[in-house]
Amino acid sequence: MIELTGRSRRLPLVADCSSCFGLCCVAPAFSASADFAIDKPAGRPCPHLGADFGCTIHAQLRDRGFPGCTVFDCLGAGQKVAQLTFGGRSWRDDPSTAPLMFDVFGVMRELHELLWYLTEGLRYGAAQPLYAELDTAAERIEGLTLGTAEQLVHLDLDTEHARVNALLLRTSQLVRSGARGGRSWRRSVERGGADLIGRDLTRTELRGANLRGSYLIGADLRGVDLGRADLIGADLRAAEVGGADLSESLFLTQAQLDSARGDLQTRIPVSLRRPGHWLG
């Protein structure tokens, strides 16, 4: 649970699978790949989904070819849809609700992601001038999550994303402006959306860098200082971050950490946990 400032309430942004209906195992589609061992169309339950809505191979997901499942985080959207929006009645209890429930889950997941980023912005001391705006935006998005199923599926998510992203960008710029020890922020690396797949970045100055939405799949970031680097939306799948300093990286999620390859020397934010597969 993360407490916001001002009037905002405590927001359940942590998944509680025991209160969900296995929505992440049914609603999304995935294709056979390095992340998933099989093809599964949207709306069809994974064959490993149990009668109790739990994963029957949860402890062996990586060994069984499903690492993509281990890095997914609904941020509490699943239980909110199950218990609040649909009042505790599952798609198995009433199959006629299934299509709408699955659509609502996708919307709720995106709203909870926006909430997580806004809440994270309130952690950064340098962003204090924007606290009121961040808090107000979080209250507004939280209010949207409390709507009916019909209201949720008709939300203009593009508009909501644009509004929140503009505020998060201002937050990032404000925090990153003091990241380089007195050196000009304008000289920081601007690689937002860049294709850095497989690149050796071990000698690149990335402190305070803009890496929003960049493709860092398989990139070598070992020993790199990523302090105050903006990693919102960056793809860190199989990125080598052994010994890297991620402790002050901006908007770094647990899912991003889980998808990367680190070790005991990798420094991570105190709010996140060290992935089990980093420990061998």
Side-chain angles (χ1 to χ4, degrees), residues 220-224 239-245 261-266:
D220 190 348
L221 292 161
R222 288 175 295 178
V224 174
E240 299 289 349
V241 296
D245 188 353
R261 297 174 178 172
D263 56 26
L264 290 174
Q265 284 69 52
T266 305

Side-chain angles (χ1 to χ4, degrees), residues 3-261:
E3 187 169 7
L4 296 182
T5 60
R7 296 168 297 161
S8 296
R9 299 176 296 166
R10 293 174 66 85
L11 302 173
L13 298 177
V14 177
D16 177 7
C17 297
S18 66
S19 299
C20 185
F21 300 142
L23 296 178
C24 66
C25 304
V26 186
F30 51 75
S31 301
S33 62
D35 293 318
F36 301 100
I38 60 174
D39 292 317
K40 188 193 82 65
R44 179 180 298 176
C46 172
H48 301 296
L49 181 67
D52 62 350
F53 298 113
C55 175
T56 60
I57 62 167
H58 187 267
Q60 298 87 37
L61 281 169
R62 286 186 176 272
D63 294 337
R64 297 283 290 272
F66 291 90
C69 296
T70 68
V71 302
F72 179 81
D73 186 353
C74 78
L75 299 172
Q79 69 258 26
K80 182 173 281 188
V81 171
Q83 303 302 327
L84 180 64
T85 314
F86 285 86
R89 187 167 180 80
S90 78
W91 51 271
R92 281 177 175 161
D93 295 331
D94 185 357
S96 67
T97 66
L100 180 59
M101 187 179 297
F102 300 155
D103 287 344
V104 169
F105 173 66
V107 174
M108 190 72 78
R109 171 62 180 75
E110 292 196 44
L111 292 176
H112 270 226
E113 184 175 54
L114 294 179
L115 277 172
W116 189 90
Y117 284 128
L118 290 166
T119 304
E120 190 70 3
L122 288 165
R123 293 184 185 276
Y124 308 140
Q128 189 169 359
L130 296 176
Y131 278 1
E133 290 183 64
L134 289 165
D135 190 59
T136 298
E139 280 199 330
R140 180 175 56 81
I141 297 297
E142 185 189 10
L144 294 177
T145 71
L146 304 178
T148 66
E150 290 73 18
Q151 289 171 332
L152 285 161
V153 295
H154 289 102
L155 276 179
D156 183 352
L157 282 175
D158 288 340
T159 296
E160 298 303 330
H161 274 286
R163 292 176 67 179
V164 171
N165 187 60
L167 178 55
L168 295 177
L169 181 58
R170 290 168 56 206
T171 303
S172 169
Q173 291 170 340
L174 186 61
V175 177
R176 290 190 297 122
S177 65
R180 296 170 64 81
R183 288 171 287 173
S184 171
W185 168 70
R186 290 187 296 273
R187 292 174 51 198
S188 65
V189 176
E190 293 291 325
R191 301 305 300 271
D195 182 353
L196 301 172
I197 296 174
R199 293 279 297 275
D200 181 352
L201 301 172
T202 55
R203 295 178 178 82
T204 304
E205 172 64 77
L206 292 178
R207 182 171 180 82
N210 173 19
L211 295 169
R212 296 164 63 92
S214 59
Y215 297 92
L216 292 162
I217 303 169
D220 190 348
L221 292 161
R222 288 175 295 178
V224 174
D225 180 2
L226 288 159
R228 298 195 190 182
D230 188 345
L231 295 174
I232 193 168
D235 193 337
L236 290 170
R237 283 178 292 169
E240 299 289 349
V241 296
D245 188 353
L246 299 163
S247 61
E248 294 183 314
S249 297
L250 305 185
F251 303 114
L252 177 67
T253 68
Q254 186 64 52
Q256 287 173 308
L257 274 187
D258 291 342
S259 67
R261 297 174 178 172

